Amino acid sequence: MSKSETTAAAETLPPLTHIPAHIAIIMDGNGRWAKARGLNRAAGHRAGTENLRRVLSAVVEMGVPILTIYAFSTENWERPRSEVRVLLGLIERVLDTETEELARNGVRIRHIGRISGLPTRVVNKIRQAEAMTRYNERLVLNVAFNYGGRAEIVDAIRAIINEGLDPDEITEDTVSAHLTTGGLPDPDLIIRTGGDQRLSNFMIWQAAYAELYITPIFWPDFDREELHKAILAFGHRQRRFGRVESDEA
Ligand code: IPE
Ligand code: IPE
Ligand code: MG
């Protein structure tokens, strides 16, 4: 497809009226995408990483202020050593090759999840990317790597106890503030690619009232148009937060 055709296709997408303040994506299905093509899982992860570049530029362009991506869970360490090595290699490579462009595009990179357990080289690159982009405000990009919702809650409890807070003073806001997403609004929309209907330990506290959008499309194929579809669907959801419409009383 030529450049002008791509632009034309983009222009035919209906306008988005409701842009979520915070989108979180469970980027799943790399392995199945590869299998369907007779490729190995590593090839699927590489294709997934390529896709991330495309989705990031679409997210910036659409004006989404916060994006959280689930890249590696605390349970993913249980995968074969060779696959874990591939995934660690890919995060390093993405940080090496993408940070500068993301910095130029106004993206602030933040790591969420446990730093402990990650190789020093990866930790240093994460810290470098965070420092280099810390004053950017166009898009906050939370990279959930070695992230688990339960681990995050355990760490928050430990921090609260260490601070010696009075138990009676602990509120939901106290817990939220001690999570690695502290200071950011909860996700409005959680997208899961690859079709599985579960959260897999992702943002289990923050997901309380998130709208869920699950698509069978595998992550490497989840393009700008699919993202647009997800945000459009979000715009048609009626969020009640446990309340009823005032005229239904
Ligand atoms: C998502 O793809 C990437 C990670 C979990 C790291 P998968 O590797 O889980 O792909 P499937 O679900 O096996 O297809
Ligand atoms: C969730 O996918 C984790 C990431 C996308 C990083 P998994 O593939 O690990 O989830 P399960 O095992 O199918 O629940
Ligand atoms: Mg999976």
Side-chain angles (χ1 to χ4, degrees), residues 13-142:
L13 297 174
L16 295 169
T17 48
H18 295 79
I19 299 286
H22 183 174
I23 298 180
I25 308 182
I26 302 173
M27 308 184 293
D28 197 22
N30 293 347
R32 282 164 285 166
W33 179 92
K35 194 171 180 200
R37 284 162 180 74
L39 302 170
N40 60 24
R41 296 181 58 85
H45 293 312
R46 283 194 296 274
T49 307
E50 271 306 301
N51 190 48
L52 180 58
R53 285 166 61 101
R54 293 191 282 269
V55 169
L56 279 178
S57 70
V59 165
V60 170
E61 187 192 313
M62 288 173 185
V64 176
I66 307 168
L67 177 71
T68 300
I69 49 169
Y70 201 12
F72 190 88
S73 74
T74 46
E75 290 73 45
N76 288 149
W77 294 107
E78 308 295 324
R79 293 188 179 197
R81 278 242 304 270
S82 54
E83 181 166 348
V84 169
R85 212 174 306 130
V86 164
L87 292 165
L88 287 169
L90 280 172
I91 177 100
E92 260 195 69
R93 216 175 67 195
V94 169
L95 290 167
D96 281 343
T97 59
E98 306 301 321
T99 302
E100 264 179 49
E101 193 182 335
L102 291 171
R104 266 200 308 278
N105 288 330
V107 178
R108 174 172 183 187
I109 301 171
R110 289 175 83 246
H111 170 261
I112 65 165
R114 278 194 175 147
I115 267 296
S116 63
L118 291 173
T120 315
R121 267 216 333 246
V122 173
V123 175
N124 289 341
K125 286 180 183 177
I126 289 172
R127 294 303 182 220
Q128 215 177 331
E130 286 180 329
M132 198 198 268
T133 61
R134 65 184 309 151
Y135 298 114
N136 283 344
E137 289 182 339
R138 192 164 174 195
L139 170 72
V140 174
L141 173 64
N142 295 313

